[in-house]
Amino acid sequence: VMTRARYFIFIPAIFRALERESRSVRRNAERYVEQRQKDLCRALMATDESQPGIIGKLRAGDVVIHPSRIYWSGLRELEIYQAGISEAALLRHIAAAGTDGGMSDDDGIVHESDAASRWHPECPTDAVIDNRTNEFTSKLSLELTVEEAEYLLQRMLHREGNGPPSLLGHRLQALRSGELSLDAWPWETTRLPA
């Protein structure tokens, strides 16, 4: 289902843009995020409608399951989203808090530490949404920038170092070290992780 890695960058960009919005916009967090994902689909189609992998392309972004829902578990697994709560819970917290993107704990109080962004600080979202205007940059595509690809590689390798070994992690490490070529088949992998 998660076939386009750049959605791991698009979704944090949308949520960071929401964090920069006014209190009144944040109160309608769910509507904002849904609309921005529809706008993302349209922006990708405006660049190149023939790009494979645009979520919502057949319905011009009007989908039941938005990209954020599809990619949320991956964002959490790679620790790009670091709070460990569901997207729905995050949207409720943002809407209820309405102040500086802070999230209230079980006690219902927004503490100073709760106001910090829950997104990995090094996630490179500048090529997606302009920080000054909160608008998508021109000529968006599903192709990762070099900076984004390196960032995602680091997140995947970090996950590999902190969890059980995986074939994907092993292949990424082998690609990076030059032990494996991009055109190698998965069954051609040698020296599997223990």
Side-chain angles (χ1 to χ4, degrees), residues 2-187:
M2 292 183 247
T3 60
R4 298 295 179 252
R6 197 152 192 222
Y7 280 101
F8 285 113
I9 306 298
F10 290 151
I11 295 162
I14 289 170
F15 275 87
R16 282 182 170 168
L18 172 60
E19 291 173 355
R20 290 189 298 267
E21 289 288 354
S22 68
R23 182 182 308 185
S24 62
V25 170
R26 289 193 308 269
R27 285 190 183 132
N28 295 305
E30 185 174 357
R31 187 176 320 138
Y32 176 90
V33 169
E34 285 180 9
Q35 184 59 51
R36 293 311 300 258
Q37 290 179 84
K38 290 176 186 179
D39 296 343
L40 170 63
C41 175
R42 292 182 190 113
L44 289 166
M45 288 173 44
T47 300
D48 181 3
E49 196 170 307
S50 67
Q51 291 183 86
I54 299 174
I55 298 172
K57 178 167 67 172
L58 299 177
R59 299 189 61 181
D62 192 23
V63 296
V64 175
I65 300 175
H66 294 279
S68 57
R69 184 166 297 160
I70 295 168
Y71 282 81
W72 198 260
S73 63
L75 289 163
R76 287 175 56 185
E77 183 68 25
L78 295 174
E79 297 178 8
I80 296 170
Y81 179 68
Q82 300 181 318
I85 61 174
S86 69
E87 176 191 12
L90 174 62
L91 291 170
R92 281 193 305 274
H93 281 301
I94 292 172
T99 59
D100 301 327
M103 298 191 310
S104 59
D105 291 338
D106 292 337
D107 60 7
I109 300 169
V110 177
H111 303 281
E112 188 176 319
S113 63
D114 296 332
S117 176
R118 299 298 191 224
W119 297 97
H120 190 270
E122 295 171 18
C123 185
T125 57
D126 292 346
V128 177
I129 294 180
D130 185 297
N131 288 333
R132 292 165 303 176
T133 64
N134 260 6
E135 296 300 324
F136 288 108
T137 57
S138 63
K139 302 206 184 237
L140 272 185
S141 77
L142 291 172
E143 188 174 319
L144 290 166
T145 66
V146 172
E147 179 185 19
E148 292 165 350
E150 182 62 32
Y151 170 76
L152 289 175
L153 174 63
Q154 290 301 323
R155 297 312 310 150
M156 289 177 190
L157 293 176
H158 171 78
R159 188 250 168 249
E160 187 70 14
N162 292 316
S166 68
L167 181 59
L168 174 62
H170 175 72
R171 288 181 58 85
L172 289 172
Q173 289 171 337
L175 280 168
R176 189 157 206 203
S177 69
E179 296 174 36
L180 190 66
S181 69
L182 279 173
D183 58 349
W185 294 98
W187 52 84

